[in-house]
Amino acid sequence: MSGEDVLEAERRGKASEAPPPVWLLVLVTATGPLALHILVGAVPGLQRSFGGDYGRLQLTLTVFLAGIGVAQLGYGLLSERFGRRPVLLAGLGLYTLASAACAFAPSIEILLVCRTLQAVGGCAGMVMSRAIVRDLFGRSRSASLYGYITMAMALAPAVSPTIGSYFDLWLSWRWSFVFLSLFGVAATFGAALLLPETRRATSELDLSGWFRAYGRLAIRPAFLAYSLNTAFTMAAWYTFIAGMPFILVEVEGLPQSTYGLLVMLVLAAYATGNFLSGRFSGRFGSDRMIFAGGIVSLVGACLFTAVAESGAGGPLLWFLVMSVNVLGNGITQPNGIASALSIDPPRAGAGAGFLGLLQMAVAGLATVFVLQFGTPSVLRLAVSILLLILASQLAFAVALWTGRGTADLSHGE
C-alpha cells in the first residue's frame, strides 16, 4: 500500500469518528476575518483618539493583513509537529490576549503592534480549520464544508465595520476589541471542549523537511493556479468591503448604518453561492463549478464597472451588481480551496498555510491600492474588482492547462 493510500485510509478512519461540529469550525475561522475590518467603521473614533489622516489610520488594516499572511506558513509547520489542536488553542489564546491589549492601546504605534499580534493569533483558526477538514474528508465532502468556512471568511469582515461603527457611536472604538476578546474566549473554550485531534504529531520539528514541502508545492503549477484563483476572488471581495464604507460615509454622506443594511444583499448572494457549491459540487465536479462561478463573477464585475463608468444609479445599484459578482465568488471559493489542497493531500497543513499566505498577500496588495493611493472612488473600486476577477479566470485556465484538473483530482474524491 502506498503512502497516499495509508493517508487516505487514516483519513477515512478519523472521519468515521465524531468530527468537530461545523459551527465550531465556522466560529474559529471567523476570529481573524471578524477583526480584520472592524476599525473601518470606527475611523472617526481613531481620529479623535490619535489624530492622523485616513491613510495612516488604515495601517491598522494593512499590518493585520501582513501579520495574518506571514503567520500562516508557521502554523502549517507547527501543526505538523505538535498536532492541529494545541496549535489552534495557542493561536486563539494569543488572539484573545492581543484583542484585550488593543482595547487599552495608548497610541497608534502600540495599537499597530497589538493588531499584528492579534492577526498572528487570528489566522490560526483560518489555517487549522482548512487542514482539519482535509484531514478528515476527501475532496467532494471538503468542498462542501469549505463552503461554510469561506462563508465565515466573507461574512465576518463584511459585518465587522458595522459592529465597529456602532461601538464607536454608542461607546468607544475600544469596545470593539473588548467584543473581539470575548469572541476569542468563546472560540477557545469551544475548541478546547469539542475539537478532537485530527493529525498525529511528529517527534521533531523538521524545518528542512518543511521547507522542502513548501518548495514542492511552489513548483506545482496546479496548486499555485488553484490557490491564486481563490486569492484573486477573495481580494475582489476584500477590496469592495475595504473601500465601500468610506465611499458611502465620506463621499456620499450616508450614515454607516446604510452600509450595514446594503451589505446584507451581498452576503445573501455569497451564502447562496456557498449553498450551490455544497449542493452541486459532488454532482458536477469542482472544475465545472469553478468555471460556472467564474463566469457569474465576471458578469457581475463587468456590470459594476459599466454602472460606475456611466455614473448612473447609486448605492443600491452598486450593491445589487456586486451581489452578482459575489454569487459567483461563493461558488468558486470552496471548490478552488478543495482543489488546491487535493493536489498534494499528505501536505494539507503546508498547503493550507501556503494558500492562506497567497490569499492574504493578494488581498493586502489590493486593499492597499484602493485605500492608500488617493481617495477611494466607485470607478476605481469597480475597475480593481474587474481586473482581479480577470486574473482569477487566468489562474483557473492555467490550472486546467497544466493537465492537473478534473482527471487528476478525481483520485482524491
Side-chain angles (χ1 to χ4, degrees):
M1 182 179 288
S2 68
E4 292 195 9
D5 290 336
V6 172
L7 183 70
E8 183 64 24
E10 183 179 348
R11 182 189 301 123
R12 288 174 181 170
K14 290 173 183 174
S16 65
E17 302 171 2
V22 173
W23 67 262
L24 178 59
L25 294 176
V26 171
L27 186 70
V28 300
T29 300
T31 53
L34 187 63
L36 179 59
H37 288 94
I38 199 163
L39 290 183
V40 170
V43 169
L46 289 177
Q47 289 178 320
R48 290 192 298 270
S49 294
F50 304 129
D53 57 23
Y54 184 80
R56 180 170 178 261
L57 296 175
Q58 281 301 115
L59 287 174
T60 58
L61 172 63
T62 305
V63 299
F64 194 96
L65 283 168
I68 210 170
V70 174
Q72 298 197 51
L73 295 179
Y75 276 117
L77 169 60
L78 293 174
S79 71
E80 298 289 338
R81 167 61 183 88
F82 299 106
R84 313 296 194 208
R85 175 184 161 87
V87 170
L88 175 60
L89 292 176
L92 291 174
L94 175 60
Y95 171 88
T96 302
L97 293 174
S99 297
C102 286
F104 297 99
S107 66
I108 187 64
E109 291 77 17
I110 298 298
L111 179 61
L112 292 176
V113 172
C114 294
R115 281 282 281 175
T116 303
L117 293 175
Q118 185 189 43
V120 171
C123 80
M126 298 166 60
V127 177
M128 291 301 96
S129 60
R130 291 169 175 171
I132 288 168
V133 168
R134 188 56 199 169
D135 287 340
L136 294 173
F137 303 104
R139 178 171 173 245
S140 293
R141 177 60 173 155
S142 294
S144 178
L145 291 176
Y146 287 143
Y148 295 108
I149 290 173
T150 58
M151 190 188 305
M153 293 183 66
L155 188 151
V159 301
S160 58
T162 302
I163 295 173
S165 67
Y166 280 117
F167 274 124
D168 183 48
L169 178 64
W170 294 336
L171 298 168
S172 164
W173 62 266
R174 298 181 185 275
W175 280 91
S176 294
F177 292 106
V178 175
F179 165 76
L180 293 175
S181 185
L182 294 174
F183 193 90
V185 169
T188 303
F189 273 99
L193 293 174
L194 300 173
L195 181 70
E197 182 55 72
T198 62
R199 172 78 177 188
R200 184 182 298 111
T202 59
S203 59
E204 60 183 8
L205 196 64
D206 185 9
L207 287 173
S208 61
W210 195 252
F211 285 126
R212 287 195 300 271
Y214 280 129
R216 178 171 174 172
L217 290 169
I219 61 174
R220 301 291 292 272
F223 172 81
L224 292 176
Y226 279 119
S227 297
L228 287 172
N229 171 263
T230 69
F232 286 124
T233 55
M234 176 178 286
W237 170 236
Y238 276 28
T239 296
F240 180 81
I241 60 177
M244 188 52 72
F246 179 86
I247 292 171
L248 291 182
V249 176
E250 301 297 330
V251 178
E252 297 294 320
L254 298 173
Q256 178 66 37
S257 58
T258 301
Y259 171 83
L261 292 174
L262 291 176
V263 80
M264 294 302 169
L265 295 172
V266 188
L267 294 179
Y270 195 89
T272 301
N274 285 160
F275 170 79
L276 294 174
S277 174
R279 180 69 176 81
F280 296 109
S281 292
R283 180 185 304 178
F284 296 109
S286 292
D287 287 321
R288 290 188 180 91
M289 295 298 289
I290 295 172
F291 177 78
I295 294 299
V296 175
S297 294
L298 185 59
V299 169
C302 290
L303 288 174
F304 191 17
T305 303
V307 168
E309 174 66 26
S310 69
L316 178 59
L317 184 57
W318 301 338
F319 277 80
L320 285 173
V321 294
M322 187 62 190
S323 295
V324 178
N325 172 267
V326 171
L327 172 65
N329 292 356
I331 297 172
T332 60
Q333 273 289 316
N335 286 284
I337 293 171
S339 297
L341 297 187
S342 294
I343 294 295
D344 200 346
R347 294 167 181 80
F354 203 164
L355 184 149
L357 173 62
L358 289 174
Q359 287 182 327
M360 288 300 136
V362 174
L365 290 173
T367 53
V368 165
F369 174 79
V370 170
L371 298 175
Q372 301 295 328
F373 298 106
T375 302
S377 67
V378 176
L379 181 59
R380 181 145 61 93
L381 204 62
V383 171
S384 299
I385 290 169
L386 177 59
L387 292 176
L388 289 166
I389 295 301
L390 288 171
S392 73
Q393 294 291 84
L394 177 61
F396 178 57
V398 171
L400 296 180
W401 177 72
T402 59
R404 303 289 299 188
T406 305
D408 175 69
L409 292 177
S410 63
H411 300 298
E413 301 284 357

